[in-house]
Amino acid sequence: MLRRLPAFMLFVLPVFAAAAAAAGVPLPATATLGIADVSGLDQGEIISYDVREPTDKTLAAGLAMYVEAPPERLIAAVRNGALLVGDPEVIAAGTFLPASGPEALEKFEFGASDIDEAEALSEVEPGSEFNFSAAEIEGFRALGRTLARVSEAERLRLLSRRYREVLWQRLDSYRKNGPDAIAPYARSGGNTVDVAAELRTFTEQSVPLRLYAPELQEALLKFPSQSSSDTASTLQWVERKVEGRPTVILVHQMIQRTGGGAVVAVRDFYVGHSFNSSQMVLGILPYREGSLVFYSHCTSTDQVAGVGAGLKHAIGRERLRAVMSGRMERFRASVR
C-alpha cells in the first residue's frame, strides 16, 4: 500500500533542513524527505514522497519504507545484486570487471522471437524508436545493406554482434572518460538528446545526495577522476523488457558508507529505447530497531513532453511509482 504526502512538503522541508543544519540541529531523515507522519512506516507501509522534476522530460518520485533488519544486512544485499533479484522484466545481466573486454557482453544475443526488433535496427533512422548517435545509426544501416541474402539466423547473429560493439564502445568511453563522453542520441529534424546533461542535472539537484552523501555526489559528477576510499563503483549491463521490447541498459552503481548506513546511486547511462536516462538514489540508514530505506528516482523520457504534458506526467509518475514499489517490495523480501 502506498501512502501519498502533500506536494508542498517537497519545497518546505529542504528549507527547514538547511536552516536546521546551519544551526547545528540536523533533522531526521524522515523529515528531510518530507515524511511528516511516520505511523505508516511503523505499520509496514511504503510511503510516497515527492521529488522535484527539473525538466519537462523528467518523471520523478520517491518512496520510503521501514525494514526490520540492520543496515549492514541491507547493504550486503545491494552489493550481492538484490536490486535485480526477482525483477520479472530482467532477461539477463552481467558485471564489467576492471579487466573486462567486449567478451563481457557475449551473453547478449537476439533470439528468434526478437527478429522484428533486430531487423528494425538494419533500417534505423534518427528518432525515438531507438537511442543511437548519428554514427551508430549509419553503422547499422551499412550493415543492413549487406543482409538481403543471408538467413534469418545469420541476420540475428550479425545484428547482435553490431549491437554488442555499440554497447562496448559506449561502456568503454564512459569508463575511461565519464559522462561527458556519452554520445548524444540522434532525433529527427537534427535534434539530439544530451544524456550527459540530464545525468548531471539529476545529480546536482538530488537532495538525498547533497544531504547524506556529498562525496558520492561529487564522485558521480567527476567520474572517473573523483574517487574515495569510502565509495565503491560497479559497471553492469542489464537486458530487460521495456514496453514489451527487449533492450540493453548500461548501468553505473556507486555506494558510499554514511551515518551508520549507506547511500547507493544507480544511473542508467545508456538505454536502448523508450526512455533516455535515469538515476536512482537508494538510502539505507539506521532507524528504530532496523533501517529506513528511501528511494528517489528520476527518469528522462521524450514521451511526457509537449502537448498534454501535465496529464502525461501524472500518468507516467504513477506508473513509475508502481514499478518502484514492486522493486521495494522485492528488496524487502530479499533481506527477511
Side-chain angles (χ1 to χ4, degrees):
M1 175 181 176
L2 286 176
R3 179 183 290 188
R4 294 294 307 280
L5 294 165
F8 77 89
M9 299 299 287
L10 169 67
F11 303 97
V12 173
L13 265 298
V15 175
F16 285 174
V25 185
L27 288 173
T30 49
T32 60
L33 294 172
I35 302 173
D37 180 2
V38 300
S39 61
L41 289 176
D42 298 337
Q43 295 168 15
E45 296 179 8
I46 295 177
I47 303 296
S48 172
Y49 60 91
D50 289 305
V51 177
R52 183 171 297 179
E53 296 175 343
T55 74
D56 63 349
K57 291 184 178 182
T58 303
L59 293 173
L63 300 178
M65 66 181 179
Y66 172 55
V67 179
E68 293 182 344
E72 288 298 332
R73 190 192 304 175
L74 275 63
I75 295 167
V78 171
R79 293 184 185 278
N80 291 329
L83 297 180
L84 293 178
V85 171
D87 188 332
E89 302 301 318
V90 172
I91 300 168
T95 299
F96 296 97
L97 301 175
S100 292
E103 72 282 351
L105 287 158
E106 287 299 321
K107 289 185 179 179
F108 169 69
E109 187 84 19
F110 286 121
S113 62
D114 304 319
I115 186 61
D116 291 341
E117 187 77 14
E119 292 199 331
L121 293 173
S122 65
E123 299 178 348
V124 63
E125 296 180 348
S128 59
E129 184 180 9
F130 290 99
N131 292 330
F132 294 122
S133 68
E136 290 163 349
I137 289 171
E138 180 50 38
F140 276 113
R141 292 183 66 84
L143 174 60
R145 291 191 286 270
T146 71
L147 300 180
R149 298 184 180 181
V150 302
S151 68
E152 178 178 298
E154 182 68 0
R155 290 200 301 276
L156 287 169
R157 187 185 72 82
L158 292 172
L159 287 164
S160 296
R161 185 178 70 180
R162 178 58 188 151
Y163 205 166
R164 288 195 299 270
E165 291 170 353
V166 167
L167 293 168
W168 172 251
Q169 289 165 2
R170 282 185 171 270
L171 181 283
D172 200 40
S173 293
Y174 180 87
R175 178 167 65 175
K176 293 176 178 176
N177 301 299
D180 288 342
I182 300 173
Y185 303 151
R187 295 292 191 247
S188 58
N191 296 313
T192 60
V193 173
D194 188 344
V195 176
E198 292 179 344
L199 294 174
R200 189 180 308 113
T201 297
F202 294 161
T203 303
E204 290 174 343
Q205 298 197 13
S206 171
V207 172
L209 285 177
R210 185 172 70 250
L211 293 179
Y212 299 108
E215 290 183 6
L216 177 56
Q217 185 178 46
E218 189 75 0
L220 285 164
L221 290 170
K222 296 184 177 180
F223 178 82
S225 62
Q226 182 82 10
S227 63
S228 165
S229 59
D230 295 328
T231 303
S233 183
T234 305
L235 292 168
Q236 301 169 294
W237 66 271
V238 179
E239 182 184 3
R240 66 165 67 240
K241 288 281 187 179
V242 179
E243 297 183 348
R245 297 168 55 193
T247 191
V248 175
I249 301 172
L250 297 179
V251 182
H252 183 198
Q253 175 177 290
M254 299 188 80
I255 303 177
Q256 181 189 326
R257 301 302 300 264
T258 181
V263 175
V264 185
V266 182
R267 62 167 41 155
D268 298 340
F269 64 92
Y270 174 73
V271 185
H273 60 73
S274 295
F275 62 99
N276 303 331
S277 64
S278 76
Q279 185 163 289
M280 63 170 277
V281 176
L282 182 78
I284 301 169
L285 299 176
Y287 182 76
R288 299 191 185 277
E289 302 302 317
S291 304
L292 173 69
V293 180
F294 61 84
Y295 172 17
S296 300
H297 200 131
C298 291
T299 295
S300 166
T301 171
D302 298 344
Q303 297 177 18
V304 298
V307 178
L311 179 59
K312 291 176 184 177
H313 274 257
I315 294 172
R317 207 175 292 123
E318 287 307 310
R319 289 177 178 172
L320 176 60
R321 285 194 184 98
V323 171
M324 292 170 63
S325 181
R327 186 171 291 170
M328 291 280 267
E329 291 285 12
R330 290 191 296 272
F331 181 53
R332 177 159 53 187
S334 74
V335 294
R336 282 177 178 164

